[in-house]
Amino acid sequence: MKKTKTCPLYPLTTNFFVIMMLLSFFGSIAKAQVKPRLQGLVKDSTSQELLSFVTISLLKNDSAKTVVASALSDSTGRFVLQADSGTYLLSFNLFGYHKLVKSIKVGQNAQDHLPLYVLQPMSNQLKQVLITGRKQLISQDKDKLVYNVEQDVAAKGENLTEIFRKIPMLSVDGEGNVQLNGQTNYKVLLNGRETAMFAANTKDALRGFPGVVVSKIEVITNPSAKYDAEGVGGLINIITKKGIMGYNGFFSAYYSNLNYQTSTNLSARSGKFAITGTYFLSGNHNNKADVTSLTLPLQPSVYQSRFLEGERTTNRFSNDGNLEMSYNIDTLQTIVAYANVGGGHNKSRFAQNITTEFANATPQHDFFTQHIRNNIPSFGVGSDFIKKFKGNANRELSFRFNGQFSKNDGLNTSLMAMANGNLFRQNDSYSKNREYTLQSDYIEPLTQSTRLEMGAKFIFRDANATYQSLSRTNENDPFQPDYSNSNSFAYKQQVYSGYGSLSFSLNKLNFRTGLRLEHTTVDGDFFSSNTNVKQNYTSLIPDFSMNTKLSDKYTMVFGYTKRLQRPYINALNPFVNNNDPLNISFGNPNLSAQTIHSLSLQNRLLLGPVFMSLILNASYTGNMIVQYTTFNEVNGISTTQYGNLGKNREVSATFTFAANLQKLRSGFGGTVRYNKIENTAMPTQQEQGFSGQIYGFFSYSFYKSFFLSGNGGVSRSAYALMNTVNAFPYYQVNIGAELFDKKLTASINFNRFFKKWFTANAYTEDANFRTASTTTTPYRVIYMGFTYNFGKLKENLSKKKGVTNDDLINN
């Protein structure tokens, strides 16, 4: 009897829309209450322009000053509030303007005219040591640490990898690998959304992303139940610059002895419509690195040692464009549409000599060459609809859709020239990934200090790939397929989730508690090898956070969260990379999701222009997804594979000090981390020890429009089962000027100028073998460039939030 397959979207059409109907019920309740209306207009006292996005609050005229209603003024300066009859205080707030408070009576009689309320702009007199209206370079807001990139003058010529070196809780090694709070598994979001650009290859995407387009970077180590449960290390949210009121934008170009980047941005608004677009490209100049690797068997083996020495040349090019449009239907409803398109290539050439030493035979000398090419086009589309409610601007209902699509066309050719003959290999691969997301969220302010959030989300991932392995022993013969290592597969994953989160206050204690329920189904088929992957599991993710303000200057935050990480398709793929017959690697189709438990205690102190924080963290995971290497002493083959075999215990302390003075910004900080990681299947594979980073930075303005800045430090990644690396020192000095009323910024940067080369050391060891490797890369970088700004920046484009899928392992 033939089994009938149900549509994979059927559960969505039942569960998802039932939840949407329940959420919409709250809106019906709000509309059922008819109260007197209060409306008016707000304008600038100097320019006489009508002001949009002014926050208007209606407060009880008592000692508690309880907010009974709030709203935002629209693009015509108009606002509407509803409240019971009585006497109130009407408050007006807008950044850059003095606060205005008026006493007002609300009655049943309709208004026959629109009262006019006038706000006075603040004067820009810098008489105090702390600059008025200037943001701190580093700050913390509830559950996240914020690095305000716009306040870092050197960032205009840097990429995100270089900027990440300055951010507490982030560490970057000499190869550009980033760790968040000691974890290599985390999620990078762009404006609150997942993009194919960061999902495909995080390290290369960060290297190619220019800092000039970034407004700020948010580091979230303890996400609330609203966020997807995935991303064990946390979230990094990159927020780009946007503009409004007329038009504004910039063009930027920087060039160095190692790489180049250029970018442009344009933002505009007319009435209720706003648009912003960004495009950037980056690449390098065939950068070369010297690479060595020594494998020593610690048990009797087919050889005594194997030494590889050679040169690797890499060529990388990437470009990405983003377009976003928003339309304010009225003061309460906004629709946003966005799209992104990107692509590029990664190419590398590798040539090395291999010397194998034997106990009772002469050494064997082989030669290995390899060429790798990957083309990675991607694009995405999405839309958000956000609705606020009359009488309470904090009540919100939103619906969101996002689709991300990417391809990877790869070719890997190699020649192993050995004493007993040659071996030519060619591995072709082609993959296509599609991801669709539907999401809805509802925010209900129950009281002034109590807020309820709930929502539902559905993610559907569909991946297909074909890979073929070919070989030959004679250059003049045709390639022959290796059917045992050729395959095609289809992989589908569906994630259904719902959450509820309640925030409330008890005296001086503020609480956030929530639960998230996620159900995951996986259906994968590796056709040629007749391997099937089927998973079906449900995860309950608790979240708890408590903060208290012990004084006007000191805040303490405690949090607990459980996170999980689902394996991505490259970790599941059983394809064997065997270009070097004695060094092979492959994925594991039986991987399951890993979980991690985290505790954190944050202490924050703000003393005028000085910000300090001390963060204590502890985490544990017993089924960590790890790559590990085993050595077969009989045939001398090193095999690298994946498994849920990692147990990792970690504690850390992070300290940050930042001062924001009139002409000088400076700070320092550091992280001390201790972790112990072990392979639960092989007790001989374990590493433990201290790691972390220490850093400092400064920026000084002098002689009108000139500035001098710099930063430096030492960073060491957490211990791992494979390739534990040594510490990486970094430093730079940047000098530049802001000209033509700050429209043009030009600078020259001297980066790590004392040494031309840097050697990174890494090792992997257990009772059977030890592998030590070195990578020597260009270290000294000198670059120069400029950024030209045009137009006038006043406000953000919209109040949207975007779809976020923070859940897949970054490898």
Side-chain angles (χ1 to χ4, degrees):
M1 181 177 178
K2 185 176 180 181
K3 185 177 180 180
T4 302
K5 293 186 177 180
T6 60
C7 174
L9 295 181
Y10 177 74
L12 173 64
T13 60
T14 56
N15 301 338
F16 190 81
F17 285 107
V18 168
I19 297 175
M20 296 304 99
M21 293 175 63
L22 291 175
L23 296 178
S24 300
F25 176 71
F26 288 99
S28 301
I29 296 176
K31 293 180 179 179
Q33 301 178 4
V34 179
K35 298 180 180 180
R37 289 161 55 92
L38 173 67
Q39 52 188 334
L41 295 173
V42 190
K43 73 174 183 178
D44 186 305
S45 64
T46 303
S47 65
Q48 299 299 305
E49 293 180 354
L50 296 172
L51 297 176
S52 58
F53 296 110
V54 179
T55 300
I56 300 100
S57 302
L58 195 65
L59 303 91
K60 289 184 178 180
N61 194 5
D62 54 20
S63 58
K65 300 294 187 293
T66 304
V67 177
V68 296
S70 62
L72 295 173
S73 61
D74 61 16
S75 59
T76 65
R78 185 185 179 194
F79 68 91
V80 178
L81 293 170
Q82 286 184 303
D84 294 325
S85 300
T87 301
Y88 298 92
L89 294 177
L90 190 61
S91 171
F92 299 82
N93 285 279
L94 181 63
F95 178 76
Y97 290 84
H98 290 287
K99 182 178 180 180
L100 176 66
V101 179
K102 294 281 189 178
S103 179
I104 192 167
K105 289 185 178 181
V106 177
Q108 293 291 341
N109 296 329
Q111 290 177 289
D112 56 3
H113 69 285
L114 293 180
L116 185 63
Y117 300 92
V118 180
L119 301 187
Q120 294 184 354
M122 292 182 178
S123 59
N124 191 25
Q125 298 177 356
L126 305 179
K127 295 182 179 181
Q128 300 180 1
V129 175
L130 178 63
I131 297 179
T132 302
R134 194 179 187 189
K135 294 181 180 178
Q136 289 276 3
L137 185 63
I138 299 174
S139 60
Q140 291 200 61
D141 179 19
K142 295 182 180 178
D143 59 350
K144 60 193 174 188
L145 181 142
V146 180
Y147 187 87
N148 292 298
V149 180
E150 287 184 301
Q151 305 302 318
D152 182 356
V153 291
K156 293 181 178 180
E158 297 175 332
N159 58 42
L160 284 181
T161 301
E162 294 164 331
I163 295 173
F164 277 14
R165 299 189 195 278
K166 312 174 191 178
I167 302 178
M169 295 186 293
L170 298 182
S171 59
V172 185
D173 65 19
E175 292 288 308
N177 299 300
V178 178
Q179 288 190 351
L180 168 55
N181 209 23
Q183 297 284 342
T184 57
N185 300 330
Y186 52 87
K187 202 65 180 178
V188 179
L189 307 176
L190 182 63
N191 295 319
R193 311 185 193 100
E194 184 181 5
T195 66
M197 173 178 59
F198 287 114
N201 190 319
T202 303
K203 181 171 72 172
D204 287 342
L206 294 174
R207 283 175 171 172
F209 203 104
V212 68
V213 306
V214 180
S215 171
K216 61 182 179 180
I217 298 171
E218 299 175 341
V219 180
I220 306 172
T221 58
N222 187 29
S224 71
K226 184 173 184 176
Y227 293 93
D228 293 343
E230 298 189 71
V232 295
L235 308 175
I236 303 173
N237 188 22
I238 300 163
I239 300 176
T240 57
K241 298 176 182 177
K242 300 181 180 71
I244 181 178
M245 308 304 252
Y247 73 96
N248 60 80
F250 64 83
F251 176 78
S252 175
Y254 284 81
Y255 185 88
S256 80
N257 56 309
L258 296 183
N259 48 45
Y260 58 88
Q261 65 182 42
T262 184
S263 57
T264 186
N265 170 274
L266 177 65
S267 299
R269 184 181 183 98
S270 177
K272 298 181 178 182
F273 179 76
I275 185 171
T276 185
T278 301
Y279 174 78
F280 65 85
L281 62 85
S282 66
N284 61 20
H285 313 298
N286 291 322
N287 293 339
K288 296 182 178 181
D290 294 327
V291 179
T292 70
S293 177
L294 175 64
T295 300
L296 294 173
L298 302 181
Q299 304 293 338
S301 176
V302 66
Y303 60 76
Q304 287 188 321
S305 67
R306 190 168 189 256
F307 181 68
L308 295 76
E309 182 178 24
E311 182 182 79
R312 182 177 63 212
T313 303
T314 59
N315 180 281
R316 176 187 55 80
F317 172 80
S318 65
N319 67 126
D320 192 81
N322 297 276
L323 180 67
E324 181 179 297
M325 297 175 289
S326 72
Y327 179 75
N328 295 326
I329 301 172
D330 52 35
T331 59
L332 301 175
Q333 300 178 98
T334 300
I335 188 169
V336 181
Y338 54 87
N340 62 274
V341 61
H345 65 253
N346 292 313
K347 299 179 181 179
S348 66
R349 302 189 304 271
F350 194 25
Q352 61 182 0
N353 295 297
I354 304 174
T355 302
T356 307
E357 300 277 355
F358 301 94
N360 300 310
T362 58
Q364 177 179 316
H365 298 282
D366 305 322
F367 181 69
F368 178 76
T369 60
Q370 185 179 36
H371 292 77
I372 301 175
R373 184 217 68 206
N374 286 284
N375 294 322
I376 45 176
S378 65
F379 72 96
V381 294
S383 180
D384 302 343
F385 173 76
I386 304 101
K387 176 180 176 58
K388 295 182 180 294
F389 293 85
K390 291 182 178 180
N392 193 336
N394 294 319
R395 179 183 293 141
E396 181 180 291
L397 176 65
S398 62
F399 299 91
R400 312 177 196 276
F401 166 77
N402 179 271
Q404 293 292 324
F405 314 92
S406 64
K407 299 178 182 179
N408 190 334
D409 186 5
L411 177 65
N412 186 333
T413 61
S414 66
L415 164 63
M416 176 68 77
M418 300 174 289
N420 57 354
N422 296 332
L423 176 61
F424 298 84
R425 288 196 185 278
Q426 177 175 306
N427 293 324
D428 298 308
S429 63
Y430 178 81
S431 63
K432 183 166 63 175
N433 295 276
R434 291 165 290 178
E435 179 177 292
Y436 305 93
T437 303
L438 289 173
Q439 176 180 342
S440 181
D441 301 285
Y442 179 76
I443 302 174
E444 173 66 29
L446 302 178
T447 66
Q448 184 181 5
S449 60
T450 305
R451 185 173 70 170
L452 175 66
E453 297 184 58
M454 62 179 70
K457 187 173 185 178
F458 171 76
I459 306 172
F460 176 69
R461 297 185 174 105
D462 185 10
N464 296 275
T466 300
Y467 50 92
Q468 185 178 39
S469 182
L470 307 169
S471 64
R472 65 187 179 189
T473 56
N474 190 313
E475 187 176 7
N476 297 319
D477 294 339
F479 277 106
Q480 298 297 320
D482 180 0
Y483 293 107
S484 65
N485 196 35
S486 299
N487 211 333
S488 60
F489 66 82
Y491 178 87
K492 293 178 172 59
Q493 181 190 87
Q494 300 179 41
V495 181
Y496 306 87
S497 60
Y499 75 91
S501 180
L502 182 66
S503 302
F504 60 95
S505 299
L506 296 175
N507 296 323
K508 291 186 177 182
L509 294 176
N510 304 305
F511 295 89
R512 186 196 72 208
T513 181
L515 282 174
R516 185 178 186 90
L517 183 68
E518 295 192 350
H519 179 72
T520 305
T521 63
V522 175
D523 187 2
D525 287 297
F526 297 88
F527 300 112
S528 300
S529 60
N530 198 27
T531 303
N532 185 258
V533 180
K534 285 192 177 294
Q535 297 179 358
N536 195 318
Y537 56 90
T538 301
S539 304
L540 184 62
I541 310 299
D543 161 58
F544 176 78
S545 177
M546 178 183 69
N547 70 80
T548 181
K549 203 165 186 178
L550 301 180
S551 70
D552 292 338
K553 302 176 178 61
Y554 178 50
T555 302
M556 181 181 294
V557 183
F558 171 79
Y560 163 77
T561 186
K562 175 185 174 183
R563 309 289 294 165
L564 62 85
Q565 193 76 51
R566 299 178 180 93
Y568 198 48
I569 197 164
N570 59 331
L572 297 166
N573 192 345
F575 173 75
V576 179
N577 185 342
N578 57 359
N579 291 83
D580 181 352
L582 295 184
N583 281 292
I584 64 174
S585 61
F586 50 84
N588 179 1
N590 297 313
L591 286 177
S592 60
Q594 76 174 73
T595 57
I596 185 171
H597 302 267
S598 300
L599 292 171
S600 66
L601 177 63
Q602 302 179 23
N603 300 271
R604 307 196 296 253
L605 184 64
L606 183 62
L607 299 172
V610 175
F611 170 79
M612 291 184 286
S613 71
L614 175 64
I615 305 173
L616 306 176
N617 284 286
S619 65
Y620 170 80
T621 177
N623 63 342
M624 185 177 183
I625 297 176
V626 293
Q627 269 190 303
Y628 64 100
T629 300
T630 58
F631 179 76
N632 188 325
E633 59 270 13
V634 175
N635 54 27
I637 296 178
S638 296
T639 301
T640 301
Q641 56 191 304
Y642 288 89
N644 287 99
L645 302 175
K647 179 189 291 185
N648 189 55
R649 286 156 288 191
E650 182 175 306
V651 293
S652 66
T654 299
F655 175 76
T656 302
F657 173 91
N660 181 20
L661 307 179
Q662 183 174 359
K663 291 188 175 182
L664 175 67
R665 290 173 176 266
S666 62
F668 61 89
T671 298
V672 178
R673 178 190 308 111
Y674 179 86
N675 79 298
K676 180 179 181 180
I677 184 170
E678 53 190 303
N679 188 331
T680 56
M682 302 178 63
T684 57
Q685 285 195 356
Q686 61 174 279
E687 295 289 341
Q688 61 182 316
F690 287 95
S691 58
Q693 65 174 330
I694 184 171
Y695 65 91
F697 61 87
F698 76 93
S699 175
Y700 179 70
S701 301
F702 65 97
Y703 192 64
K704 297 182 179 179
S705 59
F706 287 85
F707 60 85
L708 177 69
S709 65
N711 69 81
V714 179
S715 175
R716 176 166 182 163
S717 301
Y719 282 79
L721 291 180
M722 283 183 55
N723 297 325
T724 297
V725 298
N726 62 329
F728 177 75
Y730 59 92
Y731 52 90
Q732 66 169 349
V733 175
N734 187 72
I735 186 169
E738 295 178 317
L739 309 172
F740 306 112
D741 196 24
K742 296 188 176 182
K743 290 184 177 295
L744 177 66
T745 301
S747 64
I748 182 170
N749 179 282
F750 303 92
N751 204 319
R752 306 184 294 264
F753 44 84
F754 287 120
K755 292 177 63 177
K756 187 175 182 179
W757 303 91
F758 176 78
T759 300
N761 299 286
Y763 69 89
T764 303
E765 183 177 16
D766 71 3
N768 297 318
F769 79 106
R770 175 182 172 87
T771 297
S773 63
T774 67
T775 304
T776 302
T777 55
Y779 193 58
R780 181 185 300 141
V781 184
I782 299 175
Y783 66 80
M784 60 183 64
F786 71 91
T787 299
Y788 180 75
N789 298 283
F790 54 89
K792 187 176 182 181
L793 184 65
K794 285 186 66 175
E795 286 283 355
N796 289 333
L797 253 176
S798 65
K799 306 295 181 182
K800 62 178 181 52
K801 297 177 182 176
V803 170
T804 64
N805 294 341
D806 19 282
D807 65 335
L808 294 179
I809 275 186
N810 296 272
N811 287 308

